Amino acid sequence: MSRLPTLFFGILAVFATSWLGLVVYPYVQLGHLQPERSATTGALTPAPLTSSAVAGERVFAANGCVYCHSQQVRAAWLSTDIEKGWGPRQTVARDYLNERPSFLGTMRTGPDLSNIAVRQPNVRWHFEHLYEPGVVSPGSIMPSFRFLFVERPVGATPSPDAVAVRGPHKPRAGYEIVPTQDARDLVAYLLSLDRTQPLPEADGTNGTKRTDGPNAAKEAKP
Amino acid sequence: MSEGEPEPSEGEFRDLASPAEIDLPQVHGSILREHREPAEGVGRVPLWFALLMLGLTLWGALYLANRSGGFRADVFNPVAAPVAVAEDPATLGQRVFMRNCMLCHQFDGRGVPGQYPPLAGSEWVLGEDGHNAQQIVAIVLHGGEGPFTVKGDVFSGAMAPWKALRDDEIAAVLTYVRSSWGNAAPPITAEFVARVREATKDRAEPWSEGELGDLAAPAAGGGQ
Amino acid sequence: MNGGMPDAESRIERAEIDRSLRGPVLFFFSSGVAWLLVGSLLGLLAAWKMVFPGLLDSADWLTFGRVRPAHLNIVIYGWASAVGMGVGIWLMARLCRVALRHRALLVASGVVWNVGVAAGTVGILCGQSRSIEWLEFPGWATPILFLGYALVGAWGVIMFRYRRPGHVYVSQWYLLAAFLWFPWLYATANILLIWRPVAGSVVGAVNWWYGHNILGLWFTPIGLASAYYMIPKVLGRPVHSYYLAIIGFWALALFYSWNGMHHLIGGPFPAWMVSASVVASVMMFVPVIAVAINHHLTMRGHFHYLKWSPTLRFTVFGAMTYTAVSFQGSLMALPAVNNLTHFTDYTVGHAHLGLYGFFTMTMFGAMYYIVPRLVGWEWPSARMIRWHFWLAASGIALMFATLTLGGFVQGLELNDPQSAFMSSVAVAAPFRFVRGLAGFLLMAAHLVFAVLFVRMLLRRGERREEATLLARVEDSATARTEPRPPEGGGITAV
């Protein structure tokens, strides 16, 4: 193997197989998916995000939440994710249409967040948890994100969003802790994370029963 | 190092002795002691390795053939398995608790001081001190807005509404709470939850402590 | 065949080549060592933040979610890529027997590369990461890196084009491949993940196609090229089998590139993608065993050299770790195993074993060989080399052991539906503490090496005529029974 052309083309051609197989072809198969529209209510799955939630995605990305929190529910044949309660069904490709890029994650140092909006819909809980996770969730090693909050003087009445602080970082007398827009956006994003609505390709029959829709079965499986 | 060379002077490289050339590069001792550049030998490929390659290739081909879902984009599992887990009704209550309630009320029902009330030994849960089962079903359905007094302490947090849970799920989780961590109170049935849901179906706001206190004990059947 | 000593002409040639490489390669090495110190410090910080979450938690730029990707990107692009480019250029020039021309341009590339790494790191710490693993530098910084790489890759390929006629050695295949694969990987990932991402989970597939291939098709070939050079070169023996080398190279190229989806087993992807990666991951046994046989049979009967040669000690440690970590990886790709190890610290242990235990240790070995030839000085302290080795080896061994065990118990808790999530955090805690301790060992190893490296650059310490060996040859019983080495060769040819 001494000639540059042989090596050159061999090196590139062999690599091209994976580039075509794991990049190009999946983009063809999965790059243009559309949300599912309910026949009865017309609602979309996944539901589109509010603009605050879209901004919240950037806060999620900027602060590296994905390095501790996954967003995938694995199927029952492979794992106990569903039994454990991360979600009622596995997550599939269309569940991530709201995110660029999708935050699939590879670590569960912290809980999976695929359906956190269903498990914890309380906005105030989320603000309190971001401010002092170790106090709100005893045993947690999540760091405090109090830099997403500001301390400001209390007005005539306390803000409805003021965070009730139990731990060591209490506001000074006459001051209150209020979330910044970043914190609000982040919580808006977290409260959009709901993959409990059914999708046909996630029904466990491997798509053999569908006859319509963007991922319709092309031929019946025996 | 070669013999008969002039001693190197301080800080200089060793010269290569070759009288024919004048501008010799300075060659450091480290190059002088090197072997030739490496080359490959002609060892044979062991038979066991060749067999291993063959075996792995066969395994790989079979694996791909059987577990690729026809190479379709909408087949996410290599085996067709029903995604619905056969849920054990006996553990439904615990599972609902761990999924939804534990985040605030904690794994052992002890709550968070000042924030989320304990459930262990709570008079609300046990239906003591003037509390009744209708209240805890109502608060699970529609949420609550503090302050609440539980076991003599005041809690000012808010509880989210869980009306999205099914009647049997709410019944199971309340039964679980009523029978865990030292609690001993009668179970709650799904019918009871359904009746409370119907009776409070126009409720849009979370309950305050006072409003819950107005909820009368149920007339008959299904829990006390 | 090598064995026996080269003639005067080839020595002069090699001296010329080394002299031409001096500036660029030492620049890349210096950059790499500096980034190694910064990257290790950030890694240490991240590790201890997981033990004490309140550590330095008031500033946004020091939050764990930014420090951790800053650590990752600095060690990948600042340390490993820089030292890899330095070693790769040196090896390619030596084996092609071509002196480096227009060296100033290559140094300029190195400067651009460093600017890119620095800018990207600042970007991450300022909150501009997109949380794409292994590609967190913001989109305005990555083109700088691409520009910095362009000349290095071009030089590598051009040197190969203009090589002296003769046999092309296995290291040259690996290096040529690495220089061609990296820009393709980087460009694809940047375009499809940062500049024009599509919606949906498919970006995860591209993300891990990229992440895994950076390890397997950029770092691994450079590491293997170095091991394939250093082991036979120091021993003065040929590599065992040309045929195994061929199998190892092409099987790596074919199978490694399909592995990426094994990071996403169970994820929202069509079954065929995951199955293809599982198969490719297991097929990796083929190239890994081929390389292992080759290295082992080349070393066989000469393991006592590990007592003396720093190059060989670090390189063989790295090569053996390559076999071990690859075996582990192939097994981790099986769904039954992956079920337990996925999402846990087990994966973190595996990643560090690969990038540190294999690649970094191999690069240390290469630097111990190359730097004396560029600087014209021998390593000033055998004791410091020993300290470096033992701190690094024990650090990575401890880190791997604690994360593997910890990840295992964490996985058991995560998979138990009766168990609360928080118990997985609690059982992992002591293992994360020990991992923090291992981080101190590694940090110490790098400080020792940095001091040693600077002393080399400044030519400090006593002047030596012989190679700096880790033990005195005369003290060894083996040395007495070993046939007298030929002049200038044998055990001292390090």
Side-chain angles (χ1 to χ4, degrees):
Chain A
M1 264 203 338
S2 293
R3 301 182 57 239
L4 177 58
T6 318
L7 266 178
F8 187 86
F9 286 111
I11 285 167
L12 295 182
V14 168
F15 181 67
T17 63
S18 86
W19 183 76
L20 289 170
L22 281 186
V23 175
V24 174
Y25 186 57
Y27 257 66
V28 169
Q29 272 198 338
L30 300 173
H32 307 286
L33 297 173
Q34 299 298 319
E36 177 86 356
R37 184 175 288 280
S38 160
T40 47
T41 64
L44 291 175
T45 303
L49 296 182
T50 61
S51 59
S52 181
V54 173
E57 276 185 38
R58 297 279 65 80
V59 180
F60 192 90
N63 292 294
C65 311
V66 77
Y67 299 108
C68 290
H69 293 283
S70 62
Q71 281 186 39
Q72 312 171 29
V73 179
R74 295 174 293 176
W77 71 272
L78 175 66
S79 76
T80 55
D81 281 6
I82 294 176
E83 252 184 284
K84 190 105 181 182
W86 299 126
R89 62 164 175 83
Q90 74 181 116
T91 47
V92 292
R94 286 200 288 169
D95 285 317
Y96 301 89
L97 290 178
N98 279 332
E99 286 142 2
R100 285 171 202 255
S102 45
F103 299 114
L104 294 173
T106 51
M107 293 293 288
R108 282 183 185 166
T109 311
D112 182 273
L113 297 180
S114 305
N115 291 297
I116 187 67
V118 176
R119 280 207 306 284
Q120 186 47 272
N122 187 329
V123 172
R124 197 181 301 177
W125 184 91
H126 281 287
F127 285 137
E128 288 167 359
H129 178 249
L130 282 170
Y131 191 81
E132 46 182 15
V135 173
V136 169
S137 222
S140 167
I141 59 170
M142 174 163 154
S144 164
F145 284 88
R146 57 188 186 279
F147 57 82
L148 291 176
F149 297 79
V150 288
E151 185 188 34
R152 66 165 190 224
V154 185
T157 54
S159 307
D161 290 331
V163 176
V165 180
R166 310 287 159 203
H169 301 287
K170 293 185 169 54
R172 293 168 282 172
Y175 284 75
E176 59 180 5
I177 302 291
V178 175
T180 59
Q181 189 56 41
D182 273 354
R184 291 177 208 284
D185 291 338
L186 178 60
V187 173
Y189 169 67
L190 292 176
L191 291 183
S192 75
L193 294 176
D194 174 354
R195 278 87 173 210
T196 57
Q197 305 307 315
L199 281 174
E201 62 268 29
D203 65 358
T205 61
N206 279 345
T208 53
K209 296 208 164 64
R210 294 236 30 212
T211 54
D212 63 319
N215 297 329
K218 301 282 191 301
E219 74 280 350
K221 254 182 131 63
Chain B
M1 266 64 74
S2 314
E3 299 297 317
E5 299 248 328
E7 283 305 307
S9 44
E10 208 44 48
E12 281 182 13
F13 289 1
R14 183 186 295 274
D15 281 347
L16 197 60
S18 175
E21 317 224 317
I22 306 171
D23 287 323
L24 280 177
Q26 314 264 319
V27 180
H28 190 254
S30 59
I31 296 208
L32 286 172
R33 63 175 181 259
E34 278 184 31
H35 288 125
R36 287 215 175 99
E37 297 293 78
E40 305 98 330
V42 289
R44 284 207 303 269
V45 176
L47 177 64
W48 64 264
F49 182 63
L51 292 173
L52 177 73
M53 284 196 282
L54 190 62
L56 283 175
T57 309
L58 280 171
W59 170 86
L62 284 171
Y63 191 101
L64 266 182
N66 287 331
R67 297 170 77 91
S68 299
F71 294 90
R72 284 166 43 170
D74 58 350
V75 174
F76 290 89
N77 299 306
V79 295
V83 72
V85 179
E87 300 205 336
D88 179 3
T91 61
L92 176 64
Q94 181 189 23
R95 276 181 283 115
V96 174
F97 183 81
M98 280 172 43
R99 287 172 207 179
N100 298 303
C101 320
M102 186 181 69
L103 277 171
C104 295
H105 292 290
Q106 307 306 313
F107 183 57
D108 53 5
R110 68 172 188 265
V112 177
Q115 212 162 2
Y116 304 118
L119 303 173
S122 160
E123 65 274 20
W124 292 74
V125 171
L126 297 170
E128 297 167 349
D129 294 343
H131 295 286
N132 60 63
Q134 182 158 307
Q135 292 174 334
I136 51 175
V137 176
I139 202 173
V140 169
L141 281 170
H142 300 286
E145 182 77 34
F148 287 94
T149 305
V150 181
K151 288 170 75 174
D153 294 316
V154 179
F155 298 87
S156 55
M159 174 159 159
W162 295 102
K163 57 168 89 75
L165 291 173
R166 300 190 309 261
D167 292 342
D168 65 312
E169 289 176 320
I170 296 180
V173 71
L174 285 173
T175 303
Y176 170 77
V177 168
R178 280 185 138 197
S179 57
S180 301
W181 322 303
N183 289 348
I188 308 265
T189 64
E191 296 79 32
F192 181 69
V193 174
R195 274 193 282 137
V196 176
R197 191 194 289 266
E198 179 63 28
T200 59
K201 68 174 186 288
D202 294 323
R203 182 80 198 176
E205 297 289 318
W207 303 98
S208 69
E209 187 169 31
E211 289 169 326
L212 279 174
D214 294 337
L215 284 178
Q224 47 274 36
Chain C
M1 299 293 149
N2 68 338
M5 294 313 293
D7 55 18
E9 267 184 41
S10 71
R11 286 175 177 160
I12 296 171
E13 180 184 82
R14 256 180 281 136
E16 277 248 24
I17 293 171
D18 282 355
R19 202 221 298 253
S20 73
L21 290 160
R22 189 167 190 272
V25 175
L26 283 178
F27 182 81
F28 278 108
F29 282 0
S30 307
S31 309
V33 171
W35 285 120
L36 179 66
L37 291 175
V38 177
S40 311
L41 192 61
L42 288 173
L44 194 62
L45 181 61
W48 283 105
K49 276 172 172 279
M50 283 183 77
V51 178
F52 300 115
L55 181 65
L56 294 176
D57 68 346
S58 49
D60 59 347
W61 61 279
L62 280 179
T63 188
F64 177 83
R66 300 189 197 181
V67 168
R68 187 247 192 237
H71 157 73
L72 178 69
N73 281 261
I74 287 183
V75 298
I76 296 171
Y77 300 110
W79 152 248
S81 291
V83 70
M85 287 190 278
V87 170
I89 290 284
W90 186 88
L91 286 172
M92 193 62 114
R94 269 287 190 112
L95 287 168
C96 294
R97 297 160 59 206
V98 194
L100 194 65
R101 310 261 221 103
H102 310 298
R103 323 193 261 282
L105 281 180
L106 215 52
V107 173
S109 300
V111 171
V112 172
W113 181 267
N114 282 335
V115 166
V117 174
T121 302
V122 168
I124 291 176
L125 294 176
C126 290
Q128 301 202 14
S129 161
R130 295 182 68 105
S131 278
I132 300 168
E133 298 195 53
W134 289 65
L135 204 62
E136 287 91 341
F137 285 162
W140 47 264
T142 49
I144 305 176
L145 278 136
F146 203 85
L147 184 64
Y149 172 76
L151 279 177
V152 175
W155 253 238
V157 177
I158 289 170
M159 277 198 289
F160 187 81
R161 164 70 182 85
Y162 289 106
R163 66 194 181 283
R164 293 284 183 86
H167 177 67
V168 173
Y169 183 62
V170 53
S171 295
Q172 289 165 282
W173 317 333
Y174 280 111
L175 290 169
L176 182 68
F179 286 135
L180 292 171
W181 286 330
F182 178 76
W184 191 343
L185 282 171
Y186 204 63
T188 303
N190 269 282
I191 293 171
L192 294 182
L193 294 174
I194 296 180
W195 298 331
R196 303 197 64 82
V198 294
S201 64
V202 69
V203 292
V206 180
N207 189 171
W208 286 107
W209 172 85
Y210 171 75
H212 201 85
N213 286 346
I214 282 296
L215 191 56
L217 300 180
W218 169 237
F219 292 132
T220 297
I222 296 178
L224 291 180
S226 180
Y228 262 118
Y229 182 89
M230 295 299 167
I231 295 176
K233 177 77 167 176
V234 170
L235 295 180
R237 308 178 73 217
V239 165
H240 172 71
S241 166
Y242 174 72
Y243 311 109
L244 281 174
I246 294 242
I247 293 172
F249 176 72
W250 290 111
L252 180 93
L254 177 62
F255 295 129
Y256 213 123
S257 54
W258 280 86
N259 279 6
M261 296 302 297
H262 70 216
H263 293 265
L264 292 163
I265 294 178
F269 298 97
W272 71 263
M273 290 177 71
V274 176
S275 293
S277 282
V278 171
V279 169
S281 304
V282 174
M283 293 305 293
M284 282 300 296
F285 277 119
V286 170
V288 170
I289 293 178
V291 168
I293 298 174
N294 249 348
H295 288 162
H296 182 81
L297 293 182
T298 308
M299 282 293 298
R300 185 167 58 177
H302 292 73
F303 281 96
H304 51 274
Y305 276 60
L306 296 175
K307 281 201 276 268
W308 300 299
S309 165
T311 302
L312 222 47
R313 198 184 275 198
F314 277 95
T315 303
V316 171
F317 183 98
M320 288 182 169
T321 306
Y322 173 68
T323 308
V325 75
S326 303
F327 276 29
Q328 183 197 25
S330 296
L331 293 174
M332 280 164 74
L334 296 170
V337 176
N338 192 265
N339 177 32
L340 188 64
T341 64
H342 197 19
F343 300 127
T344 68
D345 288 348
Y346 191 99
T347 311
V348 180
H350 172 75
H352 282 86
L353 192 67
L355 198 61
Y356 194 91
F358 160 53
F359 185 74
T360 294
M361 294 296 268
T362 305
M363 290 296 104
F364 285 145
M367 285 179 74
Y368 277 114
Y369 192 79
I370 297 172
V371 174
R373 283 151 181 80
L374 298 179
V375 175
W377 201 251
E378 300 299 331
W379 293 99
S381 166
R383 174 191 301 191
M384 284 183 81
I385 304 178
R386 281 197 296 274
W387 271 99
H388 175 210
F389 176 77
W390 286 110
L391 284 169
S394 58
I396 187 61
L398 184 65
M399 184 170 188
F400 174 72
T402 191
L403 286 175
T404 300
L405 279 172
F408 182 71
V409 296
Q410 183 193 1
L412 288 174
E413 289 297 320
L414 275 177
N415 282 354
D416 182 358
Q418 302 303 318
S419 169
F421 174 79
M422 206 55 85
S423 65
S424 76
V425 178
V427 297
F431 298 97
R432 290 173 177 157
F433 183 85
V434 174
R435 183 265 303 267
L437 297 178
F440 281 119
L441 287 173
L442 293 175
M443 188 79 231
H446 302 155
L447 286 168
V448 169
F449 182 64
V451 168
L452 201 52
F453 181 73
V454 169
R455 287 177 74 188
M456 270 297 264
L457 292 182
L458 299 176
R459 298 221 201 109
R460 287 288 146 81
E462 54 175 85
R463 184 192 172 79
R464 292 166 185 247
E465 299 303 325
E466 309 259 341
T468 307
L469 299 177
L470 295 173
R472 289 220 302 270
V473 174
E474 305 78 45
D475 289 347
S476 154
T478 316
R480 284 196 289 276
T481 57
E482 168 127 340
R484 209 88 198 94
E487 216 170 45
I491 293 164
T492 57
V494 298

